[in-house]
Amino acid sequence: MMFTRRQSLAALLPCAAQAQGQWSPPQIPEVAVQDQDGRAWRLRSELAGERPIVLGFMFTSCAATCPPQTAALRELRRALDADAALREVLLLSITVDPLTDGPAQLSAYAQRYGIAAARDAGWLFLTGERAALARTWRAFGVDASIRE
């Protein structure tokens, strides 16, 4: 399957609403984020602007849904890497607990799950100011209130 540079998760994961033409992709806000190595990025313009992306939301102390979600994304990353046409897809895991999850915690989380997290490896773990990330959570309908 081939994707254009501007397609995102909507192109990778079909859903009934999208198939019926009732769904439009979320607008990714332009917010400042930091990756697991402490590098600063602009979410929309620098990370989501020129290549297809897959977004996931997690937090490092999560014991229920985050580990299987991370494992599924790790398998997706491997499948994407196996297809030269899909290697450019960037995975972004965004914390819903930025007060706890700084770059060091995100780096340790990635290492714990055997993930070579780096933009060149096609996967970044992101944190930032809570107010900025809240704009992203809202854009994707993520309820981060459990981490307040």
Side-chain angles (χ1 to χ4, degrees):
M1 183 179 285
M2 296 294 290
F3 298 99
T4 65
R5 293 175 108 21
R6 297 224 178 257
Q7 290 174 311
S8 64
L9 180 60
L12 297 172
L13 300 176
C15 67
Q18 183 179 3
Q20 296 171 9
Q22 300 170 351
W23 185 85
S24 60
Q27 295 300 309
I28 298 171
E30 184 67 288
V31 296
V33 294
Q34 274 188 308
D35 69 18
Q36 71 286 345
D37 296 322
R39 288 177 297 204
W41 301 94
R42 301 297 294 171
L43 183 59
R44 185 178 64 227
S45 62
E46 293 181 312
L47 296 176
E50 291 301 319
R51 64 193 279 190
I53 63 167
V54 174
L55 285 171
F57 298 89
M58 48 67 71
F59 57 102
T60 61
S61 61
C62 173
T65 59
C66 302
Q69 175 186 316
T70 299
L73 288 172
R74 184 180 56 219
E75 292 309 310
L76 174 62
R77 178 76 267 160
R78 288 181 181 150
L80 294 169
D81 288 342
D83 185 332
L86 297 176
R87 284 188 194 129
E88 73 172 330
V89 174
L90 179 62
L91 276 59
L92 301 174
S93 290
I94 301 174
T95 185
V96 294
D97 188 8
L99 298 178
T100 301
D101 294 343
Q105 291 77 17
L106 294 174
S107 180
Y109 181 87
Q111 289 175 11
R112 183 168 56 240
Y113 291 97
I115 298 162
R119 187 167 196 244
D120 293 339
W123 195 345
L124 292 176
F125 288 79
L126 302 172
T127 190
E129 294 294 324
R130 188 178 200 302
L133 291 182
R135 292 178 55 209
T136 306
W137 304 331
R138 280 191 302 275
F140 287 88
V142 173
D143 179 7
S145 64
I146 59 166
R147 302 307 308 158
E148 291 179 344

